[in-house]
Amino acid sequence: MKQIFKGTVALVLGGISISSYADQASANLGPRPLFVVNNMDEGPLKTSLLSCSEGPFHRSDFSIGHRGAAMQFPEHTKESYLAAIQMGAGIVECDVTFTKDKQLVCRHSQSDLHTTTDVLAHPELAQKCTIPFTPANLETGEDAKAECRTSDFTLAEFQTLKGKMDGANPKATSVEEYMDGTAGWRTDLYSQSGTLMTHAQSAELFKAHGVKVTPELKSATVEMPFNGFTQAMYAQKLVDELKAAGFEPEDTYLQSFNLDDVKYWLKAAPEFGKQAVYLDDRVYDPSKFSASAENMKELSDVGVKIIAPPLFALVELNDSNEIVASNYAKLAKAAGIDMIAWTLERSGPLDQGGGWYYQSVKQAINNDGDMMTVLDVLAKDVGVLGVFSDWPATVTYYANCMEKQT
């Protein structure tokens, strides 16, 4: 059995080891994890999790901050990252793209500044957007449009922006209305101070706080090479900035949806590439992809050791309508491939079946507490290395509680 995370205390669940590190920083989880646990259906798992309500809690590598703590804080901002770290995320993610002058910055997409920042509130910058804001036409029903890319701006211009909660109002007739699109279960309370970060700044922040990193190399919207900036140069620059920040390969989980990026790291930076994560979007369309021993072996044969699909690919329902490990998960494990799941706490209230992330088990999802049941299956039956969450405290709570009960 392979031990993934080192620490003074470890819990082995299925094929993983979860460490809370008794000698590491404590975590402040706030009220939400217990709210979720109290929302669970009655049963042994709920009883077990309630027994941990008094803590104490510590940082866990099983808990991965997805874009920081993006349920409440503007994603990929300093504030979001710090909140994730405080909530005990042992690993934090910077999605990486690049600016007009080829500097790496933390954004989920090269083309999301219009929904994740206040760029449209800066007229002198908004006019530089690939598609400047166009109001909705209420007579024809045409939605409002805008597209602002990081590659539309220099790093200096990018750094004048503030992060906001991701969202837009497609029926807006003004910039102000367009920017007012935050989902009701999130909040704009912290959007006035969303400090954007370069990838290098995020790496420096994470190193200073002693957490591991999982940067994702995002697919470019612009055609590559971009002004002489090739895909290989892009992938290598990411590694170089991590090295400059002092990160060791064992503390780094490079990610990409592009298998060629993973292959590049395996060849050009093998010490980092051996722990690179292939984000498996093949599962998006079941009419075109079905997991098999053969296609899992193909990944293993090229050197892929870790895959990360959306969580619906890792769980399914058995004949008794119970949530269990999926065939995909079993095949990956049989091929010797480890797994990471995404994304918890990104679906809003789960009373209607949980939406896209829970589509394979929606018939068993009817309250927020059900995410703990899914999390328990991912940990014990699937044996994931860790779980991305928009509110890492929930995963940290689970990991700490399971550790205490060994």
Side-chain angles (χ1 to χ4, degrees), residues 10 28 43 84 107 109 164 181 217 222 250 257 263 313 324 344 356 365 374 384 387:
N28 183 354
R107 287 290 91 198
S109 166
K164 75 174 190 69
L217 196 73
V222 296
E250 59 266 27
F257 280 101
K263 291 178 180 178
V324 296
L344 218 65
W356 188 80
I365 303 294
V374 172
V384 296
V387 178

Side-chain angles (χ1 to χ4, degrees), residues 252-265:
T252 304
Y253 296 83
L254 304 174
Q255 304 178 76
S256 181
F257 280 101
N258 184 349
L259 184 58
D260 286 339
D261 291 335
V262 177
K263 291 178 180 178
Y264 171 83
W265 289 320

Side-chain angles (χ1 to χ4, degrees), residues 14-231:
I16 65 167
S17 298
I18 300 174
S19 296
S20 296
Y21 296 92
D23 58 342
Q24 277 197 347
S26 61
N28 183 354
L29 305 190
R32 180 161 176 80
L34 191 55
F35 166 82
V36 173
V37 172
N38 277 318
N39 199 238
M40 294 175 67
D41 297 333
E42 298 300 325
L45 180 59
K46 180 176 181 177
T47 300
S48 177
L49 291 172
L50 282 173
S51 71
C52 305
S53 62
E54 298 301 316
F57 302 103
H58 298 273
R59 185 178 296 166
S60 171
D61 287 350
F62 191 67
S63 179
I64 307 173
H66 182 244
R67 314 185 199 180
M71 187 175 77
Q72 298 288 301
F73 290 83
E75 63 186 46
H76 293 310
T77 60
K78 182 178 181 179
E79 293 76 16
S80 186
Y81 293 149
L82 289 174
I85 293 168
Q86 184 179 33
M87 285 187 268
I91 306 173
V92 187
E93 176 191 49
C94 165
D95 287 324
V96 180
T97 186
F98 56 86
T99 61
K100 186 175 184 179
D101 46 352
K102 306 172 218 175
Q103 300 302 304
L104 303 188
V105 295
C106 298
R107 287 290 91 198
H108 180 250
S109 166
Q110 192 169 54
S111 299
D112 72 2
L113 294 185
H114 51 291
T115 64
T116 65
T117 75
D118 65 349
V119 63
L120 294 178
H122 298 262
E124 73 285 1
L125 296 180
Q127 66 184 357
K128 297 183 179 183
C129 291
T130 296
I131 302 177
F133 173 74
T134 303
N137 188 319
L138 301 183
E139 293 184 1
T140 65
E142 188 175 0
D143 286 347
K145 294 185 296 184
E147 183 183 355
C148 304
R149 301 175 178 176
T150 57
S151 53
D152 290 333
F153 307 102
T154 65
L155 177 59
E157 291 170 330
F158 173 86
Q159 291 179 317
T160 67
L161 305 178
K162 292 289 186 183
K164 75 174 190 69
M165 296 301 289
D166 187 14
N169 176 4
K171 303 303 180 183
T173 58
S174 68
V175 165
E176 292 75 19
E177 288 180 348
Y178 185 80
M179 294 175 63
D180 186 19
T182 304
W185 48 273
R186 291 177 172 162
T187 180
D188 290 316
L189 185 62
Y190 306 108
S191 289
Q192 302 306 311
S193 58
T195 307
L196 302 191
M197 303 199 79
T198 67
H199 171 249
Q201 288 172 333
S202 75
E204 182 179 352
L205 179 74
F206 300 154
K207 187 66 176 177
H209 285 271
V211 296
K212 299 179 182 180
V213 288
T214 182
E216 179 189 337
L217 196 73
K218 303 301 296 188
S219 297
T221 305
V222 296
E223 186 176 351
M224 297 293 279
F226 175 73
N227 295 335
F229 193 49
T230 67
Q231 188 70 21

